[in-house]
Amino acid sequence: MARVRTAYVCTECGGRNSKWQGQCPHCGAWNTLVETVAAAPSTRFAAVAGAAGEVRPLASVVTRTEPRSATGLEEFDRVLGGGLVPGGVVLLGGDPGIGKSTLLLQAMAAIGATRRALYVTGEESPEQIAMRAQRLGLLNAPVELLAEVQLEAILGAIRTRQPEVVVIDSIQTVYTEALESAPGSVAQVRECAAQLTRLAKQSAITVILVGHVTKEGAIAGPRVLEHIVDTVLYFEGDTHSSFRLVRAIKNRFGAANELGVFAMTERGLKGVANPSALFLSQHAEAVPGSCILATMEGSRPLLVEVQALVDPVHGGLARRLAVGLDPQRLSLLLAVLHRHGGVESGAFDVFVNAVGGVRISEPAADLAILAAVYSSIKNSALSDKSLVFGEVGLAGEIRPVQRGQERLREAAKLGFRRAIIPSANRPRHAIDGIEVVPVARISDALEHWRR
Ligand SMILES: Nc1ncnc2c1ncn2[C@@H]1O[C@H](COP(=O)(O)OP(=O)(O)OP(=O)(O)O)[C@@H](O)[C@H]1O
Ligand SMILES: [Mg+2]
């Protein structure tokens, strides 16, 4: 095949060079030049943007509602915002061995029943895929397999087979002849993803790219794909436990931060319909240092147990350690507890943990963290079957959080009888089965826990 002219573009300033150099001659930055196809920027997205140079009023553009097609895996559809969109490009990232290929094989088997599905494998041989399919009970699934890593051959196969959904497992193994750099390099990954995206938009094919997370934690190097694709999904979970979370980091066709919960079994990934039960540990009775938090994961309320342990400092500085919660926020909350609640924790090491490997970043966890810490300092359990949420401000006030009602309803459904919540979140109408204790300041909450 004829070689395409390549250029080296600086990732800092966008300056172009005909040859590679350690330092960019335009901006002086080091190691920022990456190989790219010289003519690419002007042609790559031409088909996506429409006829070139045509200016038209916004009102004249005819809109269409994106028809979504469900994959058949309910939890996967939830994170996708309802299903796959024709022409949509999805990036599925995650640590090695977490279950990316398993999830996509299951999804493709379900999709294949009604639409043409093509699974391109660059990492595993067709035999390995068949062995996985056998284990999952999907050996006779109507999925077409292609073991190929060369981009031009993959694009050719897509054009002749005309599938509606294509999986590329993984984008790091694919390379284009047009570039000299090695497969998996930033230039290769970016160019291959851009070309696949262009074909997806032109032919209304859904493309799902599997992306490995590099050691630095970014997908395929410095997040090079996130802005090219429509949807970014990220697999989370502890490989030691069987639970896997798929989170939407970005979604042009639906809400971001949506969460799908799965359990990894010998027969593949099974959706978990009631994930709250999973993050609550099964204590026979209430124990000190434990508190139940109602958090929101995307559009879904989730009950999670927050645990705290305080232990006298044995020489040196007091330690503050948070697993699944924000460690800096922990220090801040302990200062508020001292200043506005009069509860001293400086003589203790403080450890907090969100049970079940879930990561909580919203400030609604503040009050629950303080409740667990206070309970551990006093070595006395909070009352059983009660839950807590609320943001704590530096002035000691308890601030309202979003979607208080939904959190309360989820708690009531799971048998909780009492909720300690910000007074501004007090529901207008009583929620069946749950007594609401509104608190305006940290001192109000402490008064309640002291009883
Ligand atoms: N017999 C089995 N029983 C239960 N779980 C299994 C079995 N075989 C494999 N698994 C699970 O499947 C996981 C591998 O899944 P999969 O190959 O889909 O991951 P991946 O994310 O595609 O990995 P890679 O990064 O290597 O491509 C294993 O880590 C394990 O948890
Ligand atoms: Mg895999």
Side-chain angles (χ1 to χ4, degrees):
M1 138 171 205
R3 269 226 182 286
V4 179
R5 208 156 50 83
T6 58
Y8 294 84
V9 176
C10 174
T11 52
E12 283 291 315
C13 69
R16 283 175 170 264
N17 292 285
S18 56
K19 62 180 196 313
W20 190 85
Q21 289 172 324
Q23 186 180 23
C24 172
H26 304 281
C27 68
W30 286 92
N31 283 332
T32 54
L33 295 193
V34 293
E35 189 190 21
T36 178
V37 176
S42 57
T43 59
R44 192 181 292 162
F45 290 108
V48 184
E54 188 194 347
V55 177
R56 45 202 284 219
L58 175 62
S60 77
V61 182
V62 182
T63 58
R64 54 194 163 98
T65 42
E66 296 293 348
R68 285 173 187 282
S69 41
T71 60
L73 304 180
E74 215 175 294
E75 292 293 305
F76 192 41
D77 286 335
R78 176 197 294 277
V79 272
L80 287 168
L84 294 168
V85 178
V89 182
V90 180
L91 173 67
L92 177 66
D95 291 337
I98 198 146
K100 302 178 291 294
S101 307
T102 307
L103 176 66
L104 291 179
L105 186 60
Q106 286 179 255
M108 291 298 265
I111 292 166
T114 51
R115 282 157 289 158
R116 184 169 278 190
L118 176 66
Y119 192 110
V120 181
T121 168
E123 300 210 323
E124 293 172 292
S125 65
E127 290 72 28
Q128 281 175 298
I129 306 264
M131 273 163 59
R132 176 178 296 122
Q134 189 171 29
R135 175 164 60 84
L136 304 178
L138 300 172
L139 200 50
N140 296 319
V143 177
E144 300 190 331
L145 269 188
L146 171 68
E148 182 59 70
V149 289
Q150 202 218 351
L151 180 71
E152 289 72 20
I154 295 171
L155 294 176
I158 295 174
R159 286 199 185 95
T160 49
R161 303 299 302 173
Q162 303 255 310
E164 285 180 49
V165 184
V166 179
V167 164
I168 308 285
D169 189 359
S170 66
I171 188 68
Q172 275 98 345
T173 55
V174 179
Y175 75 96
T176 169
E177 295 262 312
L179 296 176
E180 279 162 14
S181 43
S185 65
V186 172
Q188 284 284 3
V189 166
R190 193 160 58 180
E191 183 59 27
C192 292
Q195 293 219 32
L196 285 161
T197 303
R198 186 172 160 204
L199 182 65
K201 306 285 172 201
Q202 273 175 345
S203 323
I205 297 170
T206 306
V207 174
I208 306 176
L209 308 173
V210 173
H212 287 291
V213 174
T214 55
K215 283 209 187 78
E216 295 76 38
I219 295 171
R223 310 190 128 194
V224 281
L225 295 184
E226 289 191 359
H227 62 279
I228 298 177
V229 302
D230 298 309
T231 306
V232 179
L233 306 182
Y234 189 77
F235 238 113
E236 288 175 11
D238 194 346
T239 29
H240 305 298
S241 93
S242 64
F243 297 108
R244 302 281 185 273
L245 310 175
V246 179
R247 197 187 291 275
I249 308 278
K250 150 180 169 177
N251 197 349
R252 286 185 185 148
F253 304 118
N257 266 327
E258 207 51 85
L259 187 76
V261 184
F262 296 90
M264 176 65 91
T265 69
E266 198 180 338
R267 309 270 301 167
L269 289 157
K270 298 257 184 298
V272 177
N274 180 11
S276 284
L278 207 145
F279 299 108
L280 301 178
S281 62
Q282 318 290 325
H283 301 300
E285 56 194 49
V287 292
S290 160
C291 173
I292 308 300
L293 160 73
T295 182
M296 290 302 292
E297 284 292 350
S299 62
R300 165 199 279 198
L302 198 65
L303 299 194
V304 178
E305 180 180 347
V306 174
Q307 295 181 331
L309 179 70
V310 300
D311 197 35
V313 178
H314 301 290
L317 283 174
R319 286 196 294 163
R320 272 89 183 85
L321 197 92
V323 180
L325 297 155
D326 182 352
Q328 286 182 336
R329 199 133 184 112
L330 173 63
S331 306
L332 185 149
L333 291 171
L334 294 177
V336 175
L337 187 64
H338 181 212
R339 186 76 173 73
H340 297 286
V343 179
E344 169 71 87
S345 60
F348 297 109
D349 288 333
V350 179
F351 308 101
V352 295
N353 173 35
V355 171
V358 67
R359 276 197 281 271
I360 302 167
S361 55
E362 64 159 2
D366 292 354
L367 195 56
I369 295 173
L370 286 188
V373 169
Y374 180 72
S375 159
S376 184
I377 290 175
K378 295 290 165 197
N379 198 23
S380 131
L382 300 173
S383 73
D384 208 3
K385 287 285 166 202
S386 76
L387 102 154
V388 177
F389 62 81
E391 181 178 343
V392 175
L394 287 183
E397 81 279 19
I398 311 295
R399 304 162 67 92
V401 302
Q402 288 181 349
R403 300 175 137 169
Q405 297 245 4
E406 285 168 56
R407 298 176 203 244
L408 288 172
R409 264 189 235 111
E410 174 79 0
K413 207 169 74 190
L414 284 156
F416 285 81
R417 295 283 155 261
R418 185 178 300 138
I420 299 159
I421 66 168
S423 26
N425 276 120
R426 190 189 341 203
R428 261 187 241 132
H429 306 290
I431 291 177
D432 256 2
I434 198 154
E435 178 207 346
V436 171
V437 181
V439 287
R441 302 196 50 79
I442 186 74
S443 46
D444 301 343
L446 284 169
E447 205 170 294
H448 181 80
W449 293 325
R450 281 196 187 109
R451 273 184 217 152

